[in-house]
Amino acid sequence: MKRIILNATCTVEGMKFITLAASSKYTQIQVRPRIAEYGTQGLEIDCLLTRPETVTSVFFIQLSRGEPIKTEKKIVLVLGSGISWQTAGFQNRSTASGQLSPVASANLRFSIRNDSIQCPYDFSEYFCSSSFLTTTSGAVTENTNPAQVSYSGE
C-alpha cells in the first residue's frame, strides 16, 4: 500500500482511512473502523473511562479534533444535562449520545454516516477530554493522546 496525498475533492478510487486508538490514565478514545473504504463506511468514535472502579463521579466527557490546546476544536460534550454540541458543522451531519452515570457506563459516542464524511476535513486528529472525581487523586481532568484518522490508497 502506498501513501498518497489527496486533494480536497477526495476522488481517488479505492481510498481507505486508517485509525489508531489512544488512551491516558483514566480515559480512552476508540475510533472505528480501523480501516474502511471511503464513501462506504462511516466513522464512529467512543470516549470511555478505562478505570471506572476508581471514579466516584464524572463531570463531563468531550470530543475534540486537532491537537490539545494548540489547534483544538471542540465538537461535542456530554454533561449531566445531556449532549451539548460545540460545532454546528458536525451537529448537522453526525449524531452523538452519551451518559455520565452510572460511572461504569460513562461514555460519549460520536458517529458520522458514510455519506456525510467530508474529505479532507474529517481526516484529522481526534481526542477525548474528561473531568471526574477519583477515590485516589481527587478531581482530575485529562486528555487522551490524539488518535489520527488518516487515509491511504492502493
Side-chain angles (χ1 to χ4, degrees):
M1 188 179 303
K2 64 179 182 175
R3 294 200 78 56
I4 56 174
I5 298 173
L6 301 173
N7 62 25
T9 60
C10 294
T11 57
V12 176
E13 291 184 36
M15 182 173 54
K16 297 178 180 180
F17 62 87
I18 300 168
T19 63
L20 303 173
S23 64
S24 56
K25 188 172 181 179
Y26 294 94
T27 311
Q28 181 178 30
I29 183 171
Q30 296 176 348
V31 184
R32 290 179 306 282
R34 292 190 63 80
I35 300 175
E37 295 287 334
Y38 174 75
T40 62
Q41 291 179 299
L43 177 63
E44 190 168 279
I45 302 174
D46 288 322
C47 299
L48 310 162
L49 294 182
T50 58
R51 298 172 53 196
E53 69 280 359
T54 63
V55 175
T56 57
S57 62
V58 183
F59 306 121
F60 72 82
I61 301 174
Q62 178 176 276
L63 176 67
S64 302
R65 65 183 297 275
E67 293 182 49
I69 302 171
K70 293 180 184 177
T71 60
E72 175 180 341
K73 183 169 186 86
K74 294 170 178 61
I75 298 172
V76 64
L77 174 72
V78 61
L79 299 162
S81 59
I83 297 296
S84 174
W85 287 95
Q86 307 296 301
T87 305
F90 279 105
Q91 182 178 2
N92 298 331
R93 59 189 183 86
S94 59
T95 60
S97 62
Q99 62 188 39
L100 300 181
S101 65
V103 171
S105 301
N107 74 86
L108 171 61
R109 174 166 282 178
F110 171 81
S111 302
I112 305 175
R113 291 186 328 270
N114 65 319
D115 60 349
S116 295
I117 296 282
Q118 292 181 358
C119 188
Y121 184 75
D122 292 335
F123 300 107
S124 180
E125 291 181 324
Y126 293 87
F127 66 95
C128 297
S129 304
S130 59
S131 183
F132 44 86
L133 193 60
T134 71
T135 56
T136 56
S137 303
V140 175
T141 300
E142 68 176 7
N143 297 326
T144 63
N145 292 322
Q148 178 70 43
V149 177
S150 58
Y151 47 90
S152 63
E154 298 179 311

